[in-house]
Structures are given as C-alpha cells and as structure tokens.
Amino acid sequence: MEKKIIVTGGAGYIGSHTCVELVKSGYTPIIIDNFSNSEKFIVDRVEELTGKKIEVEEGDCGDYEFVKSVFKKHAEVSGVIHFAAFKAVGESSNLPLKYYQNNLLSTIIMLKVMEEEGVSNFVFSSSCTVYGEPDQLPVTEDSPTKPAESPYGRTKQMCENIVTDFSKVTKGFKGIFLRYFNPIGAHPSSRIGELPIGAPNNLVPYITQTAAGIREKLTIFGNDYDTPDGTCIRDYIHVVDLAKAHIAALDYLLAEKEDCLEVFNVGTGNGNSVQEVVDTFQEVTGVKLNYEIGPRRAGDVEKVYSDATKVENGLKWKADISLAESLKDSWNWQQSLK
Ligand code: UFG
C-alpha cells in the first residue's frame, strides 16, 4: 500500500532533503508549504532528484479549513512530519507574537486535524535548544530541559508540551520528537540546500557567503569560552543524515503497535568548535576566509553536543557524513547559486 506522508514545510531546508529520502524509501510525500521562507523551484529540484511528481498543497498550517481540506483530499495519510515553523532566533525576540502564533497554532491544528481524520503517526521537529546550557555532556534525552533563551526556543518547548498533553488523552496517537543539533551541508548533487534570506544568522551559511564574497567578513562570536580553543562547541550534522533520521522515525512509528511518545537526539555525538569549523572549511575548500574574533553573541550556549546512543539503538540510525564532507557540500551548494 502507498504510504502517504504529509510533510509541512516540505520545501524548506530540512524538509526538501527529507522529501528526497522519503521517496527513496518508498514513501509518498505530500508537501504543505506557504512558501513564506522557501522557494518553489526547490520542489522542482526534488522532483528532478527523485524522478517523481511531488504533490504540493500551498497554504498555511495555521489555517484549519485548509489543513482539513488537504487531509480530505489525500485520504489514507499514514503520518505527518511537521517541519513548518519560523526559526530565526533573533527575529523571534523582536516579534514574539509572530513566532507564538505561527509555531504553536500550526502544531495545534495539525494535531486537531490528525485526530479528526484518524491519522496517528507524528514526527515533530524539535531542537537541542530545549537543553539550554547543559550541566553534563554529551546531552542525553534524559538531560533536564532548561528555560529557552528566545521566544523561538520557547515555541519548541511549548510545542513539545502540547504534543505531550495531547498524546496522554488521545488513543492511538504515536509521536516522536527529533531534537536536532546543528544541521549543515546540502544534498551532494548541489541541487537543493539552504536558502537563507538576507544575512545568515547561522555559522555555516555565513562562512560560505563570506567565502563567495557576498559577505565581507565572518565574525567569530567570542574566543574566551571555557573550551580548548575558546570558541563555542556544537554538534554539526549533515542535512542528508538528518533527513534520514526522519525516515527511521517513521519506520519506527509505523511498526509500533502501542501508543507511544519518544524523544531522540539527532546529532553526530561529536562536538566541534567554531574555530575548527572555520579551519576545516579552509582546508577542504582551499578558500582563505576573511574572519575576525568579535565579542560573544547574547544567548549563545558554550558547548552542546549529543549523546547519540538512544537514537542509534532505538531508531537504528547513525550519522555517517563527516564535518569535512558536510562543509564541502555546503560550499558546492553555495557556488551553485551563482
Ligand atoms: N557563530 C559565529 N559567527 C557567526 C554565526 C555563528 O561565531 O556569524 C557561532 C555562534 O556563536 C555559535 C556557533 O557559531 O557558537 C553556531 O551558531 P549558529 O547560529 O549556527 O547555531 P546555534 O547553535 O546558535 O543555533 C542552532 C539553531 C537554532 C537552535 C539552536 C539550539 O540555528 O535554531 O541551535 O542551540 F535554536
């Protein structure tokens, strides 16, 4: 039987890579996207990469009537992967209501329509931001969650709470929270990748845009942290590896007979410093980066990286693309945008 999966935000960075992997694994993605932070040509590229026509329903996940009509049109949906959300940490502090309205409402409406339509399998895009500055490293799923630093982070925590409360009273519901660490890289074909609007907030797109001459200079935000080289440590995961974790999550949910709500960290299990990322980028691309050390950025945690044991055992999934390879793919994608 055809396994149809609704993918909200399916034209976005992680969403588009996941659609490619879904098709490769025999699933049929149905994209819901309002294209507020994504481009239609990316869907064409997903079709090109998979050789399959991809159905797209253009609209807003916060619009109940619209979401309902999509579920009615595509009867027998097997599950939902809910990516659609605003994600700019800085913007969320300036426009908190925009973030709360969009990110919370879309999640609530997805759950409501799933319940009404009898769709039980739900994969939610969460973030390691829920751990804040962890007391112990690596971070396991049992590590305590901490108050988030931004409204964006709070929407992720609040959505987890909403799904958790809903799951307790909804018979047949099966859900997984995937707590992503730092996604980087692009499809090795360079046909899909991240498309930041304006100056990127995140490290790797800022590096590639600087290398491409779009930005004058990268600023490393602080080198006086308590880390071996003084710069912050993160767990950088290739977006194709991350996409594959969603397939593993769906496979798990579809095979599971009992109601469940599971949490998995999705990272490599390794921490790399900002300086290491910069050095590795220069090494693998041969491009000299213009960069300087600047002050710390407000709200940054010093170090966070995942314990990947639970996801490796539970979902039979493991990241296998190196930092060097990931940065090469990011750079190839950047160059393809000329
Ligand atoms: N950094 C720089 N210069 C830059 C950009 C980033 O030095 O121009 C540094 C940051 O200070 C940080 C590291 O690079 O130490 C990674 O920064 P990112 O902005 O790429 O990623 P974050 O870890 O800050 O944020 C990511 C996701 C968020 C999520 C958060 C959870 O982008 O969505 O992880 O910790 F909320």
Side-chain angles (χ1 to χ4, degrees):
M1 200 186 75
E2 195 187 18
K3 288 177 291 182
K4 292 186 202 168
I5 306 297
I6 288 190
V7 184
T8 76
Y13 175 42
I14 307 172
S16 57
H17 289 82
T18 300
C19 287
V20 171
E21 298 306 317
L22 281 168
V23 174
K24 275 169 70 179
S25 304
Y27 289 99
T28 303
I30 295 154
I31 293 177
I32 297 183
D33 209 301
N34 64 5
F35 296 98
S36 67
N37 189 18
S38 56
E39 297 292 336
K40 291 191 174 151
F41 79 84
I42 290 288
V43 179
D44 302 337
R45 302 265 180 101
V46 172
E47 292 184 337
E48 173 196 308
L49 288 170
T50 57
K52 283 261 159 63
K53 175 97 194 82
I54 307 290
E55 297 227 45
V56 181
E57 302 294 347
E58 183 171 353
D60 201 305
C61 298
D63 176 347
Y64 170 81
E65 297 299 336
F66 164 71
V67 174
K68 185 83 175 174
S69 72
V70 173
F71 276 74
K72 286 283 182 213
K73 179 173 165 191
H74 302 279
E76 293 178 31
V77 166
S78 302
V80 173
I81 308 179
H82 183 41
F83 291 109
F86 293 146
K87 60 174 185 181
V89 177
E91 183 192 54
S92 77
S93 294
N94 297 325
L95 299 171
L97 295 185
K98 174 178 168 177
Y99 276 69
Y100 289 122
Q101 177 167 1
N102 185 69
N103 294 4
L104 302 189
L105 194 60
S106 64
T107 303
I108 293 166
I109 286 174
M110 290 315 297
L111 294 174
K112 183 170 155 69
V113 176
M114 283 176 67
E115 183 179 27
E116 289 169 357
E117 299 301 318
V119 175
S120 19
N121 301 301
F122 187 67
V123 180
F124 179 69
S125 292
S126 190
S127 166
C128 68
T129 196
V130 303
Y131 298 117
E133 182 79 64
D135 301 325
Q136 279 196 326
L137 288 167
V139 178
T140 72
E141 290 77 356
D142 296 327
S143 303
T145 58
K146 300 264 181 75
E149 284 282 347
S150 67
Y152 158 77
R154 275 191 278 285
T155 68
K156 290 294 170 194
Q157 294 179 323
M158 289 160 93
C159 283
E160 284 199 6
N161 292 338
I162 290 167
V163 177
T164 304
D165 289 340
F166 173 79
S167 76
K168 286 181 191 153
V169 292
T170 309
K171 227 182 129 12
F173 181 81
K174 294 179 284 173
I176 287 185
F177 300 144
L178 295 180
R179 290 179 177 161
Y180 311 152
F181 284 67
N182 288 52
I184 61 166
H187 196 270
S189 65
S190 296
R191 298 299 286 161
I192 57 174
E194 192 172 8
L195 289 169
I197 296 176
N201 297 305
N202 297 117
L203 177 64
V204 172
Y206 210 101
I207 288 176
T208 59
Q209 288 196 6
T210 306
I214 301 167
R215 308 281 152 209
E216 196 206 328
K217 190 187 284 180
L218 168 78
T219 301
I220 293 183
F221 297 137
N223 69 348
D224 56 352
Y225 286 97
D226 183 18
T227 61
D229 64 24
T231 65
C232 291
I233 290 177
R234 297 287 184 276
D235 183 338
Y236 294 94
I237 173 165
H238 194 290
V239 66
V240 171
D241 275 337
L242 177 55
K244 288 178 178 168
H246 294 78
I247 315 307
L250 273 179
D251 290 345
Y252 177 100
L253 289 176
L254 292 178
E256 180 63 52
K257 299 273 181 289
E258 305 287 320
D259 295 4
C260 63
L261 186 61
E262 295 282 350
V263 183
F264 294 103
N265 286 343
V266 190
T268 65
N270 300 311
N272 287 102
S273 73
V274 175
Q275 187 68 56
E276 281 173 329
V277 173
V278 167
D279 294 346
T280 308
F281 180 84
Q282 298 192 114
E283 254 164 54
V284 297
T285 63
V287 181
K288 178 105 188 60
L289 260 188
N290 187 20
Y291 72 91
E292 65 180 5
I293 308 293
R296 292 181 175 197
R297 180 172 70 176
D300 272 342
V301 306
E302 184 169 84
K303 35 186 185 269
V304 58
Y305 53 93
S306 70
D307 184 324
T309 313
K310 186 177 178 206
V311 70
E312 286 178 20
N313 293 334
L315 296 186
K316 310 279 175 267
W317 169 92
K318 197 175 182 322
D320 62 21
I321 308 175
S322 68
L323 177 67
E325 204 59 41
S326 304
L327 292 171
K328 224 187 282 171
D329 285 342
S330 288
W331 178 228
N332 289 339
W333 165 247
Q334 178 69 56
Q335 288 179 296
S336 80
L337 294 174
K338 271 181 204 153

